[in-house]
Amino acid sequence: MRKNYKILLALLTVVLLFAAGCGGSKDAGTKPEAADGTKQLIMALDPDYETFDPGLAYEAYALLVLHPVYDTLMQFEDNLDAPIYGIAESHELSKDGLSYAFKLRKGIKFASGNALTSQDVKWSVERSMNLKGNGSFLADGIKSIETPDSDTVVFNLKGQDASFLTKLTYNAFGVIDSKVAMENGATNAVDANTADKAKLWFDTHSAGSGPYMIESYTPKVEVVLARNKNYWGKAPYYDKVVLKAISDPGTQLMMLEKGDIDIAFNLGPEHVKQIQDKPGIEIKKAQSMTLTFLLMNRDPKIGGPIANPNVQKAIRLVLDYQGMQTIAGEGSITPVAPFQVGFLGTLPPRDPKTAQNIEKAKELMKKAGYEKGFKTTLEVATLAVEGMDLPTLAQKVQNDLLQIGIETEIKTSDIMVALDPYRKGTQALSLWYWGPDYPDPNTQLAFLPGNPVGLRANWTADMNPELAELGKKAAVEVDKATRVKNLEEIQKMMDEDSAFDVLLQHARHYATRDNIQGTDYIDLYKIDLKDVSAK
């Protein structure tokens, strides 16, 4: 018995030591290595991406994946003050401001081992242009692309564009291995929007030169990135990055506390309070450039009473912005128009204490002929924006509108379902969010009448030709003082007449295990995954 007791005691000691070791790893953060010995980063987020085809992707979280996979001529690092070179090493601008000539870094290879040349740059951009996807408008100003030699690419523009260098940071300008892409159904031909058959391939594969490659993608479950062994720059710390689709912030928080993930990216202010003093967790806060806004359709056949400009102005006046900021959490603000505070020329945000004017809103409803109100639908996607539940905000809008007799039926749908009618301009009244495509106020001109987002509300240029014309001037103005003046005037005009109402510019709340570093927020990419490492 004594011998058996000693054996039993020894076995028990081994079990306890093993359990203690497992528990210790949770306290210190997630295990740095997976079962196969690879170092992996696990991040939980509530994503909106639909595709990883760089010529088609347009959603707010797409660049989180595409930036570390596809290199661009220009990129951002640390902040959004000004772009720096990516795979370009220099550029020259012609005297007339219409031609940009870029010299490429030498020796860059794609993940396949193929050399990256100026022909790949030309092919990739032409494909994005001809696919005619949602981000193709960024290349509308390009007249032609030339490749004098394998290391030089020249963009000839139709007109001056002060934001051209920043546009080049967007994934529509991501450089694709044209040889591999064509082998899998891609084309840069003029009819690429019908002839290109590579979208599904791009969703689960990649043909870039960035530090990571797409290893797998299971929609609504996870994306797995694997290190590109042929990467020309400094190798990233992690062998793999796993992006888990976890829509509920509470679940993200629980997984972070347990040590199942390294980063919980969609936390609200209430979740931050719960982990304020938790050991092993670091809270991160930053100013986001994400907007939440109401779309109010200007087509009477779709919007009905909502299409009336006086009704739309009444809606802007009746809403309780202070209450909305409380829902969104500390750090949120309400811009006057769809121009983020932080951009050149943006007016100071609304004072939430004085912005609401219910009596004036009622007068405008009477003037529009809807003194007794009306019924309509309010469409919203079921997801969280910067940790805030969109349907919850929709309920706040619903209650506020009752004060001027507008009864709304909230219609919720999955983001991938909701995007279709939004982009086709068939929603009467809907709640949406927006992140800038590139960090320049020119990107916000998309909301003007006759421009891409404006047309989603069927707000055509002829409905406000003065505003539409001013937008055209602002897009090409290179003199800073004149540009600021134009931008300020645009916002003042949109405060009086607009098919949109900006409700919030969000703050960003997220958290990491305290052994994770390199996770500073940069709005364009959210987090630059190549920079993340463990202590």
Side-chain angles (χ1 to χ4, degrees):
M1 285 293 292
R2 184 177 295 276
K3 183 177 181 181
N4 289 339
Y5 174 80
K6 288 182 177 179
I7 294 173
L8 195 61
L9 184 61
L11 288 171
L12 181 60
T13 301
V14 170
V15 170
L16 289 173
L17 287 171
F18 177 79
C22 291
S25 69
K26 291 291 180 91
D27 290 338
T30 50
K31 292 181 179 180
E33 295 186 354
D36 60 359
T38 59
K39 292 183 290 188
Q40 67 175 16
L41 175 75
I42 304 176
M43 176 176 174
L45 68 156
D46 185 15
D48 62 347
Y49 32 67
E50 289 185 289
T51 179
F52 298 124
D53 185 330
L56 294 173
Y58 190 63
E59 292 68 45
Y61 282 95
L63 271 169
L64 173 70
V65 176
L66 293 174
H67 174 60
V69 173
Y70 294 95
D71 283 318
T72 48
L73 292 170
M74 305 296 294
Q75 64 181 5
F76 285 94
E77 192 171 275
D78 299 330
N79 58 63
L80 300 178
D81 290 344
I84 62 172
Y85 292 121
I87 58 169
E89 65 176 13
S90 65
H91 84 281
E92 291 184 2
L93 177 62
S94 62
K95 291 182 179 180
D96 61 5
L98 296 178
S99 293
Y100 288 78
F102 292 89
K103 280 289 184 182
L104 305 182
R105 297 178 190 269
K106 295 184 182 296
I108 296 179
K109 292 183 178 181
F110 289 107
S112 66
N114 294 332
L116 186 153
T117 70
S118 59
Q119 281 293 331
D120 292 298
V121 178
K122 181 178 187 290
W123 185 93
S124 302
V125 177
E126 288 179 344
R127 178 175 181 267
S128 290
M129 295 168 69
N130 294 327
L131 280 175
K132 299 177 182 177
N134 286 296
S136 65
F137 75 93
L138 294 171
D140 283 351
I142 298 174
K143 182 180 180 180
S144 63
I145 306 173
E146 302 172 13
T147 54
D149 57 58
S150 62
D151 297 323
T152 307
V153 59
V154 181
F155 293 89
N156 299 307
L157 307 186
K158 299 172 184 176
Q160 292 184 353
D161 183 357
S163 63
F164 185 67
L165 290 179
T166 57
K167 286 178 179 177
L168 293 176
T169 65
Y170 187 63
N171 56 260
F173 296 93
V175 182
I176 299 170
D177 186 335
S178 57
K179 182 179 179 180
V180 170
M182 286 189 286
E183 290 172 353
N184 289 280
T187 177
N188 67 331
V190 176
D191 63 347
N193 62 320
T194 56
D196 192 282
K197 307 298 180 185
K199 177 184 177 297
L200 293 178
W201 183 84
F202 275 112
D203 287 347
T204 53
H205 303 79
S206 55
S209 57
Y212 285 105
M213 306 177 297
I214 295 175
E215 181 174 277
S216 65
Y217 171 47
T218 306
K220 297 185 179 299
V221 179
E222 68 178 22
V223 181
V224 179
L225 304 180
R227 182 190 287 170
N228 172 14
K229 295 180 181 178
N230 283 323
Y231 181 52
W232 55 275
K234 180 182 177 182
Y237 176 84
Y238 287 101
D239 299 299
K240 291 189 177 183
V241 176
V242 181
L243 305 174
K244 290 187 173 293
I246 308 293
S247 60
D248 178 49
T251 302
Q252 290 189 22
L253 182 64
M254 180 180 67
M255 294 176 72
L256 183 69
E257 290 184 283
K258 290 174 62 180
D260 293 334
I261 60 174
D262 298 291
I263 305 172
F265 200 63
N266 300 103
L267 302 183
E270 70 279 8
H271 303 106
V272 171
K273 292 178 183 177
Q274 294 178 37
I275 55 174
Q276 196 72 49
D277 300 312
K278 290 275 186 177
I281 294 177
E282 182 177 354
I283 297 169
K284 309 282 283 187
K285 294 182 181 180
Q287 178 64 60
S288 162
M289 299 294 271
T290 303
L291 302 178
T292 296
F293 65 93
L294 274 180
L295 177 151
M296 301 172 284
N297 207 301
R298 279 291 173 96
D299 186 347
K301 295 179 182 178
I302 297 171
I306 289 291
N308 189 299
N310 283 318
V311 170
Q312 294 183 3
K313 189 170 183 179
I315 289 174
R316 286 196 292 275
L317 287 171
V318 78
L319 295 178
D320 169 25
Y321 300 104
Q322 188 170 20
M324 293 180 188
Q325 290 179 16
T326 299
I327 293 172
E330 181 184 357
S332 60
I333 55 178
T334 301
V336 170
F339 291 81
Q340 292 89 333
V341 172
F343 275 158
L344 178 73
T346 299
L347 295 173
R350 294 187 191 278
D351 181 347
K353 297 178 181 178
T354 61
Q356 187 181 37
N357 190 331
I358 298 173
E359 293 306 311
K360 179 64 175 177
K362 289 180 178 179
E363 291 175 12
L364 288 166
M365 289 291 287
K366 184 177 181 179
K367 183 178 179 180
Y370 298 104
E371 184 177 7
K372 295 182 180 180
F374 54 84
K375 294 182 180 180
T376 189
T377 58
L378 172 58
E379 298 187 47
V380 60
T382 52
L383 83 165
V385 176
E386 306 295 3
M388 182 203 69
D389 183 58
L390 268 186
T392 298
L393 185 64
Q395 291 173 3
K396 171 60 176 169
V397 173
Q398 181 185 51
N399 291 333
D400 288 350
L401 293 181
L402 286 173
Q403 297 177 90
I404 52 174
I406 300 178
E407 297 181 32
T408 57
E409 177 188 355
I410 296 177
K411 180 182 177 182
T412 61
S413 59
D414 181 84
I415 179 64
M416 298 182 77
V417 175
L419 279 168
D420 186 59
Y422 163 63
R423 288 171 174 167
K424 290 180 178 178
T426 59
Q427 295 178 323
L429 180 67
S430 54
L431 183 61
W432 279 98
Y433 66 100
W434 170 275
D437 299 322
Y438 51 96
D440 186 278
N442 275 15
T443 187
Q444 301 308 116
L445 297 175
F447 282 85
L448 269 59
N451 288 352
V453 182
L455 291 175
R456 291 173 185 173
N458 290 295
W459 194 23
T460 57
D462 61 291
M463 293 178 178
N464 195 327
E466 183 183 356
L467 179 57
E469 187 60 31
L470 186 56
K472 291 179 181 178
K473 291 181 180 179
V476 298
E477 182 58 61
V478 293
D479 179 75
K480 184 176 180 181
T482 306
R483 194 178 184 209
V484 168
K485 182 179 178 181
N486 289 341
L487 290 167
E488 289 178 346
E489 185 60 27
I490 286 171
Q491 293 164 79
K492 292 174 184 177
M493 292 175 71
M494 291 188 77
D495 192 29
E496 292 297 320
D497 176 32
S498 177
F500 306 97
D501 184 32
V502 180
L503 309 182
L504 296 162
Q505 180 176 341
H506 295 263
R508 158 66 66 178
H509 304 91
Y510 60 107
T512 72
R513 298 299 305 182
D514 65 0
N515 67 317
I516 304 300
Q517 56 190 6
T519 60
D520 289 347
Y521 184 77
I522 181 167
D523 196 81
L524 191 64
Y525 312 130
K526 309 310 177 192
I527 290 176
D528 196 338
L529 294 175
K530 77 177 189 317
D531 295 334
V532 184
S533 63
K535 298 176 184 177

